[in-house]
Amino acid sequence: MALILAFGVVLLISVSLSGVAARTILSTALLFLLAGALIGQGGFGLVEIHPRDPLVTALADIALFTVLFTDGQRASLPALREGWRLSGRALGLGMPLTMIGVAVPAHFLVGLDWPTALLVGAILSPTDPVFAAAIVGRDDVPLRLRRLLNVESGLNDGLALPFVLIFLATAAHTESDLGTVAIELVLGLVLGIAVPALVCLAWRLKVLTAEPRLQALGPLAIAVMLYAGCHLTHANPYLAAFAAGATLATLDKVAAEHFEPLGDLLSEITKFAALLVFGALITPDRLSHLSVGAWVVAVLAIVLVRPAAVLLSLLRTPMSGRERSTAAWFGPKGFASVVYGLLALQSGIPDSELVFDLVAVTIALSIVLHSSTDVPIAKALRVEPPDNLPTGHATRDEDRQETDRRSP
C-alpha cells in the first residue's frame, strides 16, 4: 500500500506541475524516478523492492508494450514509407555502431569479457523517446525528425532482442538457438499485423458498430489480446506491439484517433509506475560498488557513443544540422533496456549484478539528461510551448464568459 500511496501522491504532484514542466526543464519522469529513490531502501525505506521481484519485470514489460503500441499508431504505412530512408540509416548503421561503441569501453574500462561487454552494448542500444516528449509528441517539431525518432525507437527494441539473447547465451557459455529467436521475432511481427488487420476488416461489416463513447476500447481490446497471445506463443511482444499500432493506424484511422487520448494516458500511467519502481531499485549501496570506469562508460554511452553513431549514420541526408544534432542527442535509454537488464540479472551469468548496475546507472543518467533537455532543445528548434496550458487562474472576462455560458 505504501507503493500505491506514493504513486498517487507523485502522480497528483506531477499533474499539478505539468504546465510548468512543459515550459521548463522540470521533468515529470524525473519526479517519479526521484520519488522511487526516496521511498526505496536507499531512501526512507518505505517499500522493499528487489530487482528479481516479479513485480519489477511485469511492470516494465507492460509499460514497454503499452508505449510501443501507442507509438506505433504514429507510424502508419505511409509515414514509414516516407521516413524509411532516415530510419533505416539509424537502425542499420547507427544501432550497430552504438552497440560496439558501448562494448569497447565496457571491456577495457570495466574489465568485462567481450561477450558480456557486447551484451551491455546490446542492452543499451535501444532508445525510448518517451523521455523526450517535447520533441516526439509535438506537432510543431519538424515531422521528419519526429518520425525518425519514433520509428527508430519502435523498431530497435525488437531488433536488439536477438543480440541480447545471443550475447547472453555466449556469456553463460551455452548455445544460443538463433532459429528460436528468429521464429519469435517473425511470429511477433505476424501477430502484430494479423490480429489488428482481422479486427479492422471485421469492423467494416455493417452489423458491427461501436457506440461512440466505447470506440476507444476497441484498440485497447486488440492490445490486451495481443499481449496475452504473444506471451502464450512466446512471440516477441515488443515488435508485435509496434507493428499492431502501425497496422491499426494504416487500416482504421478513425479507431486510432479515438484511441489516441486513452492510449496516451495509459502510456503515461504505466511509464510513471515503472519509473517509480525502477527508482526504488537504485540505492546508494548499488551505486557505491561501481568503479570509476563503470561511471565513465555510462557517461560515454549517453554523451558520445550514441551522438557519434547517429551523426555518422545521418551524413549526406536532407536533414538540417540542427535536426541531425537533435536526433543524435535524443537516444534516451528506457523500458527496453530495463527489461533486458533484468533479463541479464536473472540469467545468472558471472557478472550479472555488475551488468544490471551499469545498465541501471546509464538509464538513470539518461532520464535525468534527456527528460530535462527536451524543452530547451525544442526551443532551439524555434518551437514555442503550447499556448493553452493552464495558468492557475482565469481573467475577469473569462469568468464572465463562463458565467454567461452556464446561465439558462
Side-chain angles (χ1 to χ4, degrees), residues 70-87:
T70 304
D71 285 348
Q73 295 182 45
R74 300 187 180 96
S76 60
L77 185 58
L80 290 174
R81 285 175 178 173
E82 293 177 11
W84 176 246
R85 290 186 178 181
L86 296 176
S87 303

Side-chain angles (χ1 to χ4, degrees), residues 237-311:
Y238 312 130
L239 193 57
F242 191 82
T247 302
L248 182 64
T250 301
L251 298 180
D252 197 331
K253 293 182 179 179
V254 175
E257 290 174 356
H258 279 88
F259 176 74
E260 184 176 0
L262 175 61
D264 288 340
L265 289 176
L266 290 174
S267 296
E268 291 293 307
I269 291 174
T270 55
K271 175 189 73 174
F272 290 151
L275 283 174
L276 186 71
V277 172
F278 180 67
L281 297 176
I282 305 176
T283 63
D285 182 59
R286 303 194 75 93
L287 300 182
S288 63
H289 291 132
L290 287 176
S291 64
V292 175
W295 283 97
V296 172
V297 171
V299 174
L300 288 178
I302 298 172
V303 303
L304 179 61
V305 175
R306 155 73 187 193
V310 174
L311 284 176

Side-chain angles (χ1 to χ4, degrees), residues 28 143 190 261 338:
T28 52
L143 177 61
V190 170
V338 172

Side-chain angles (χ1 to χ4, degrees), residues 49-61 119 123 164-165 168-169 172 238 277 281 286 337-357 359:
I49 300 176
H50 301 284
R52 290 186 173 87
D53 194 322
L55 170 66
V56 178
T57 305
L59 191 54
D61 184 49
L119 172 63
I123 291 174
V164 170
L165 296 178
L168 193 59
Y238 312 130
V277 172
L281 297 176
R286 303 194 75 93
S337 296
V338 172
V339 174
Y340 298 156
L342 292 170
L343 185 64
L345 179 65
Q346 295 167 355
S347 67
I349 60 175
D351 291 313
S352 60
E353 291 281 346
L354 178 57
V355 169
F356 176 78
D357 292 345
V359 169

Side-chain angles (χ1 to χ4, degrees), residues 92 134 236 268 312 359 363:
N236 186 306
E268 291 293 307
L312 285 174
V359 169
I363 295 172

Side-chain angles (χ1 to χ4, degrees), residues 210-226:
E211 187 180 350
R213 68 185 182 89
L214 297 179
Q215 285 183 342
L217 297 183
L220 178 60
I222 293 176
V224 172
M225 292 189 302
L226 187 62

Side-chain angles (χ1 to χ4, degrees), residues 2 26 42 76 89 129 156 164 171 175-176 183 200 288 300 323 371 375 385:
L26 177 66
S76 60
R89 278 174 170 254
N156 61 18
V164 170
E175 294 183 1
S176 56
I183 291 174
C200 288
S288 63
L300 288 178
E323 290 174 334
S371 63
V375 171

